[in-house]
Amino acid sequence: MYELKGVVKDYAWGGYCYIPMILSQKAEGKPCAEYWLGEHPLGTAVTEDGKSLSEIIDSNPVKVLGQEICDCYKNRLPYLFKVLDVREPLSIQVHPTKEQAEIGYMREEQEHKAASLRNYKDDNHKPELMLALSDFYLLHGFANKDVALANLKRFDTLKSLYQYYQEKGLKEFVSYIFSQSKEALYEMLYPIVNDNTQAYNEGKISKADPLFWLVRAAIRAYECNQPLDAGLIMILIMNLMYVEKGQVVFQGAGVPHAYLEGQNIELMANSDNVIRGGLTPKLVDVKELLKIVKFDEITPKCIEPKHLEDGGLEFNVPVKDFKLTVYNLKKGQAFKLADTHTPNLWFVGSGEFSYNGKYLTQGSALFQALGEETNIVATSDVVLYKASAAL
């Protein structure tokens, strides 16, 4: 077993206090958006003695990961575990399939693209699971056409878009809004934002209304000197999803989505490939976006867990890279971190337990190599999250 310390990412949309709080660190007045626990090249966890998780795996990949994972994932840990604190809306984004990522990464490598102009940071897909740690809001997939049309029809300046969607359909509509000039988008969107900012500031728009998030994202754009982009219109044609604490949502390849507010755990394939579709100062590659997005209307839903004999709630997804299991231990309960034939990453969501003569508390993490086992005892009520492969 290895005690791990992860990497904090200071993206501008992040909160200031939540991640420092769970890590028992002092808030320093800068955004703390994501806490990474894994071994991605852009951020690998380290042990107490400063050795990186990548070094541990490289020392004996088969012993640490097992032959099957080494064969399937090129001697790499197949998943990446994160904690997110979303203070402001993230970019609307979509992730590629494995094949699309391999092709895109090779192409951008051959073109020697600068990092700021790249869609593909690696050659892996990035399906992801999120578990809400608080009330959580996100955009998830394209809404039913009738819902999207009703949202567009609410605003006089979008009547032409309403007619275009009605006549041409979803794919043509998305392509059309991303072809609009900054000036045209401003003429359509500024009156909506201007007419509703006061109501937003006075708390008179519900978070269940996509208008709330359109105005919030527009205000953030103003503060960052960004133009009003097509991502604001995307808010009106996507599913606005409210997720209660403890509920889980899966986002597969091609499904457009955007986190809007709240804290969550994210478990994903070991990748950082993101193709963005607005609400961001970063690269928006419209051509690649339209190639990757699945233009399907979907009905969003949460994943129901499987109840395990050891008391765990197991959340399975349609990929083999990862699965998440949640354990709620009572004070005084003894529990075995058993060998499950895959390498596991354990994260303490709340509470405290004793382990090898030490006490591990909220924010602590353990990496369990293949074949390892240990016993712990909860010294308070404890919530444990286990990330593992689904082979």
Side-chain angles (χ1 to χ4, degrees), residues 89-94 139 178 217 220 226-235 257-258 275-286 289:
L90 277 66
S91 60
I92 294 174
Q93 55 191 252
V94 68
L139 300 173
F178 278 100
R220 181 186 175 206
Q226 296 173 226
L228 300 179
D229 67 27
L232 296 171
I233 300 170
M234 289 282 284
I235 292 174
H257 58 279
I275 294 91
R276 296 177 176 86
L279 308 186
T280 178
K282 297 181 180 179
L283 173 70
V284 176
D285 185 335
V286 175
L289 176 76

Short mmCIF file of all heavy atoms in Angstrom, two decimals, residues 89-94 139 178 217 220 226-235 257-258 275-286 289:
data_model
loop_
_atom_site.label_atom_id
_atom_site.label_comp_id
_atom_site.label_asym_id
_atom_site.label_seq_id
_atom_site.Cartn_x
_atom_site.Cartn_y
_atom_site.Cartn_z
N PRO A 89 -19.17 28.07 -14.57
CA PRO A 89 -19.38 27.07 -15.62
C PRO A 89 -18.11 26.75 -16.40
O PRO A 89 -17.34 27.65 -16.75
CB PRO A 89 -20.42 27.74 -16.53
CG PRO A 89 -21.15 28.69 -15.65
CD PRO A 89 -20.11 29.21 -14.68
N LEU A 90 -17.90 25.45 -16.63
CA LEU A 90 -16.81 25.01 -17.48
C LEU A 90 -17.20 25.16 -18.94
O LEU A 90 -18.36 25.40 -19.26
CB LEU A 90 -16.46 23.55 -17.20
CG LEU A 90 -15.53 23.25 -16.03
CD1 LEU A 90 -16.17 23.59 -14.69
CD2 LEU A 90 -15.11 21.78 -16.04
N SER A 91 -16.24 24.97 -19.81
CA SER A 91 -16.54 24.98 -21.24
C SER A 91 -17.46 23.82 -21.60
O SER A 91 -17.43 22.77 -20.97
CB SER A 91 -15.24 24.85 -22.05
OG SER A 91 -14.57 23.64 -21.72
N ILE A 92 -18.29 24.04 -22.61
CA ILE A 92 -19.02 22.93 -23.21
C ILE A 92 -17.99 22.10 -23.96
O ILE A 92 -17.18 22.63 -24.73
CB ILE A 92 -20.12 23.44 -24.14
CG1 ILE A 92 -21.20 24.17 -23.32
CG2 ILE A 92 -20.74 22.29 -24.93
CD1 ILE A 92 -22.25 24.85 -24.15
N GLN A 93 -18.00 20.79 -23.72
CA GLN A 93 -16.94 19.97 -24.28
C GLN A 93 -17.44 18.58 -24.65
O GLN A 93 -18.53 18.16 -24.24
CB GLN A 93 -15.79 19.85 -23.29
CG GLN A 93 -16.18 19.34 -21.92
CD GLN A 93 -15.07 19.50 -20.90
OE1 GLN A 93 -14.45 18.53 -20.50
NE2 GLN A 93 -14.83 20.74 -20.48
N VAL A 94 -16.60 17.89 -25.41
CA VAL A 94 -16.92 16.54 -25.83
C VAL A 94 -15.60 15.77 -25.88
O VAL A 94 -14.53 16.36 -26.08
CB VAL A 94 -17.64 16.55 -27.21
CG1 VAL A 94 -16.72 17.01 -28.31
CG2 VAL A 94 -18.23 15.20 -27.52
N LEU A 139 -24.82 20.49 -17.81
CA LEU A 139 -25.45 20.26 -19.11
C LEU A 139 -25.00 18.90 -19.58
O LEU A 139 -23.81 18.56 -19.51
CB LEU A 139 -25.03 21.33 -20.12
CG LEU A 139 -25.35 22.78 -19.77
CD1 LEU A 139 -24.71 23.72 -20.78
CD2 LEU A 139 -26.87 23.00 -19.73
N PHE A 178 -22.26 27.94 -34.89
CA PHE A 178 -20.82 28.11 -34.76
C PHE A 178 -20.20 28.80 -35.97
O PHE A 178 -19.03 29.17 -35.93
CB PHE A 178 -20.14 26.75 -34.51
CG PHE A 178 -20.20 26.32 -33.07
CD1 PHE A 178 -21.15 25.40 -32.65
CD2 PHE A 178 -19.34 26.86 -32.14
CE1 PHE A 178 -21.22 25.01 -31.33
CE2 PHE A 178 -19.40 26.48 -30.80
CZ PHE A 178 -20.35 25.56 -30.39
N ALA A 217 -23.00 32.57 -17.36
CA ALA A 217 -21.85 32.37 -18.25
C ALA A 217 -21.51 33.64 -19.02
O ALA A 217 -20.33 33.94 -19.26
CB ALA A 217 -22.15 31.23 -19.23
N ARG A 220 -19.62 36.00 -16.73
CA ARG A 220 -18.23 35.55 -16.60
C ARG A 220 -17.43 35.93 -17.85
O ARG A 220 -16.27 36.34 -17.77
CB ARG A 220 -18.18 34.04 -16.39
CG ARG A 220 -16.75 33.52 -16.22
CD ARG A 220 -16.71 32.03 -16.15
NE ARG A 220 -15.32 31.57 -16.12
CZ ARG A 220 -14.92 30.40 -16.55
NH1 ARG A 220 -15.78 29.55 -17.05
NH2 ARG A 220 -13.65 30.06 -16.49
N GLN A 226 -14.13 38.15 -22.74
CA GLN A 226 -14.43 37.20 -23.81
C GLN A 226 -15.68 37.64 -24.56
O GLN A 226 -16.57 38.28 -23.97
CB GLN A 226 -14.71 35.80 -23.23
CG GLN A 226 -13.53 35.15 -22.53
CD GLN A 226 -13.97 33.86 -21.86
OE1 GLN A 226 -13.65 33.59 -20.71
NE2 GLN A 226 -14.76 33.05 -22.57
N PRO A 227 -15.79 37.30 -25.82
CA PRO A 227 -17.02 37.61 -26.56
C PRO A 227 -18.15 36.68 -26.15
O PRO A 227 -17.92 35.63 -25.53
CB PRO A 227 -16.62 37.36 -28.02
CG PRO A 227 -15.54 36.33 -27.93
CD PRO A 227 -14.78 36.66 -26.67
N LEU A 228 -19.37 37.05 -26.48
CA LEU A 228 -20.52 36.18 -26.27
C LEU A 228 -20.50 35.14 -27.39
O LEU A 228 -20.73 35.48 -28.55
CB LEU A 228 -21.82 36.98 -26.30
CG LEU A 228 -21.92 38.09 -25.24
CD1 LEU A 228 -23.25 38.83 -25.38
CD2 LEU A 228 -21.79 37.52 -23.83
N ASP A 229 -20.21 33.89 -27.06
CA ASP A 229 -20.00 32.90 -28.11
C ASP A 229 -21.17 31.95 -28.26
O ASP A 229 -22.18 32.02 -27.53
CB ASP A 229 -18.68 32.14 -27.87
CG ASP A 229 -18.70 31.25 -26.63
OD1 ASP A 229 -19.78 30.79 -26.21
OD2 ASP A 229 -17.61 30.99 -26.08
N ALA A 230 -21.06 31.04 -29.23
CA ALA A 230 -22.15 30.12 -29.56
C ALA A 230 -22.46 29.14 -28.43
O ALA A 230 -23.54 28.55 -28.41
CB ALA A 230 -21.82 29.35 -30.83
N GLY A 231 -21.53 28.98 -27.49
CA GLY A 231 -21.79 28.11 -26.36
C GLY A 231 -22.99 28.57 -25.54
O GLY A 231 -23.69 27.74 -24.93
N LEU A 232 -23.27 29.86 -25.52
CA LEU A 232 -24.43 30.38 -24.80
C LEU A 232 -25.73 29.88 -25.43
O LEU A 232 -26.71 29.62 -24.72
CB LEU A 232 -24.40 31.90 -24.77
CG LEU A 232 -23.22 32.53 -24.00
CD1 LEU A 232 -23.18 34.03 -24.24
CD2 LEU A 232 -23.32 32.23 -22.51
N ILE A 233 -25.75 29.74 -26.74
CA ILE A 233 -26.93 29.19 -27.41
C ILE A 233 -27.03 27.69 -27.16
O ILE A 233 -28.12 27.14 -27.00
CB ILE A 233 -26.88 29.50 -28.92
CG1 ILE A 233 -26.85 31.02 -29.14
CG2 ILE A 233 -28.09 28.89 -29.64
CD1 ILE A 233 -26.57 31.43 -30.57
N MET A 234 -25.89 27.02 -27.08
CA MET A 234 -25.88 25.58 -26.78
C MET A 234 -26.58 25.29 -25.45
O MET A 234 -27.23 24.25 -25.30
CB MET A 234 -24.45 25.07 -26.74
CG MET A 234 -23.75 25.01 -28.09
SD MET A 234 -24.24 23.56 -29.07
CE MET A 234 -23.30 22.27 -28.23
N ILE A 235 -26.48 26.20 -24.50
CA ILE A 235 -27.14 26.00 -23.21
C ILE A 235 -28.64 25.78 -23.40
O ILE A 235 -29.25 24.99 -22.68
CB ILE A 235 -26.89 27.22 -22.29
CG1 ILE A 235 -25.42 27.29 -21.88
CG2 ILE A 235 -27.78 27.16 -21.04
CD1 ILE A 235 -25.05 28.54 -21.09
N HIS A 257 -21.22 18.07 -22.99
CA HIS A 257 -21.58 18.30 -21.59
C HIS A 257 -20.80 19.49 -21.05
O HIS A 257 -19.80 19.92 -21.64
CB HIS A 257 -21.31 17.05 -20.74
CG HIS A 257 -19.87 16.60 -20.78
ND1 HIS A 257 -19.36 15.85 -21.81
CD2 HIS A 257 -18.84 16.79 -19.91
CE1 HIS A 257 -18.08 15.60 -21.59
NE2 HIS A 257 -17.73 16.17 -20.44
N ALA A 258 -21.24 19.99 -19.93
CA ALA A 258 -20.54 21.08 -19.25
C ALA A 258 -20.96 21.09 -17.79
O ALA A 258 -22.15 21.08 -17.48
CB ALA A 258 -20.87 22.43 -19.89
N ILE A 275 -12.32 18.35 -26.53
CA ILE A 275 -12.67 19.21 -27.67
C ILE A 275 -13.77 20.13 -27.20
O ILE A 275 -14.83 19.68 -26.79
CB ILE A 275 -13.10 18.37 -28.90
CG1 ILE A 275 -11.93 17.55 -29.44
CG2 ILE A 275 -13.61 19.29 -30.01
CD1 ILE A 275 -11.80 16.19 -28.87
N ARG A 276 -13.50 21.43 -27.23
CA ARG A 276 -14.39 22.40 -26.60
C ARG A 276 -15.37 23.01 -27.59
O ARG A 276 -15.06 23.15 -28.77
CB ARG A 276 -13.58 23.50 -25.91
CG ARG A 276 -12.72 22.95 -24.78
CD ARG A 276 -11.86 24.03 -24.14
NE ARG A 276 -11.12 23.48 -23.00
CZ ARG A 276 -9.95 22.86 -23.10
NH1 ARG A 276 -9.37 22.74 -24.29
NH2 ARG A 276 -9.35 22.37 -22.04
N GLY A 277 -16.54 23.40 -27.03
CA GLY A 277 -17.60 23.96 -27.85
C GLY A 277 -18.16 25.26 -27.30
O GLY A 277 -19.37 25.47 -27.34
N GLY A 278 -17.31 26.10 -26.76
CA GLY A 278 -17.77 27.40 -26.28
C GLY A 278 -17.70 27.55 -24.78
O GLY A 278 -17.36 26.62 -24.04
N LEU A 279 -18.04 28.76 -24.29
CA LEU A 279 -17.94 29.16 -22.88
C LEU A 279 -16.52 29.05 -22.37
O LEU A 279 -16.27 28.67 -21.23
CB LEU A 279 -18.87 28.31 -22.00
CG LEU A 279 -20.34 28.20 -22.41
CD1 LEU A 279 -21.13 27.45 -21.34
CD2 LEU A 279 -20.95 29.56 -22.68
N THR A 280 -15.55 29.40 -23.20
CA THR A 280 -14.15 29.25 -22.82
C THR A 280 -13.26 30.19 -23.63
O THR A 280 -13.55 30.46 -24.81
CB THR A 280 -13.68 27.80 -23.04
OG1 THR A 280 -12.30 27.68 -22.69
CG2 THR A 280 -13.88 27.37 -24.49
N PRO A 281 -12.16 30.69 -23.03
CA PRO A 281 -11.16 31.44 -23.79
C PRO A 281 -10.18 30.50 -24.50
O PRO A 281 -9.37 30.95 -25.29
CB PRO A 281 -10.45 32.25 -22.71
CG PRO A 281 -10.56 31.41 -21.48
CD PRO A 281 -11.90 30.72 -21.58
N LYS A 282 -10.26 29.19 -24.22
CA LYS A 282 -9.34 28.23 -24.81
C LYS A 282 -9.77 27.89 -26.24
O LYS A 282 -10.80 28.34 -26.73
CB LYS A 282 -9.26 26.98 -23.94
CG LYS A 282 -8.70 27.23 -22.55
CD LYS A 282 -8.64 25.95 -21.73
CE LYS A 282 -8.10 26.20 -20.34
NZ LYS A 282 -8.05 24.95 -19.53
N LEU A 283 -8.98 27.03 -26.86
CA LEU A 283 -9.22 26.65 -28.24
C LEU A 283 -10.60 26.06 -28.44
O LEU A 283 -11.01 25.14 -27.72
CB LEU A 283 -8.16 25.62 -28.66
CG LEU A 283 -8.35 24.97 -30.03
CD1 LEU A 283 -8.08 26.00 -31.13
CD2 LEU A 283 -7.40 23.77 -30.19
N VAL A 284 -11.34 26.57 -29.42
CA VAL A 284 -12.59 25.97 -29.89
C VAL A 284 -12.38 25.62 -31.36
O VAL A 284 -12.35 26.50 -32.23
CB VAL A 284 -13.79 26.93 -29.72
CG1 VAL A 284 -15.04 26.30 -30.31
CG2 VAL A 284 -14.00 27.26 -28.25
N ASP A 285 -12.23 24.34 -31.62
CA ASP A 285 -11.99 23.84 -32.98
C ASP A 285 -13.32 23.33 -33.52
O ASP A 285 -13.72 22.19 -33.27
CB ASP A 285 -10.95 22.72 -32.94
CG ASP A 285 -10.54 22.24 -34.33
OD1 ASP A 285 -11.35 22.40 -35.26
OD2 ASP A 285 -9.44 21.69 -34.46
N VAL A 286 -14.04 24.19 -34.23
CA VAL A 286 -15.40 23.86 -34.67
C VAL A 286 -15.40 22.65 -35.60
O VAL A 286 -16.26 21.76 -35.49
CB VAL A 286 -16.04 25.08 -35.37
CG1 VAL A 286 -17.41 24.71 -35.93
CG2 VAL A 286 -16.15 26.24 -34.40
N LEU A 289 -14.92 19.61 -33.50
CA LEU A 289 -16.10 19.45 -32.65
C LEU A 289 -17.24 18.77 -33.41
O LEU A 289 -17.84 17.81 -32.93
CB LEU A 289 -16.55 20.81 -32.14
CG LEU A 289 -17.83 20.84 -31.30
CD1 LEU A 289 -17.56 20.32 -29.90
CD2 LEU A 289 -18.41 22.25 -31.24
#
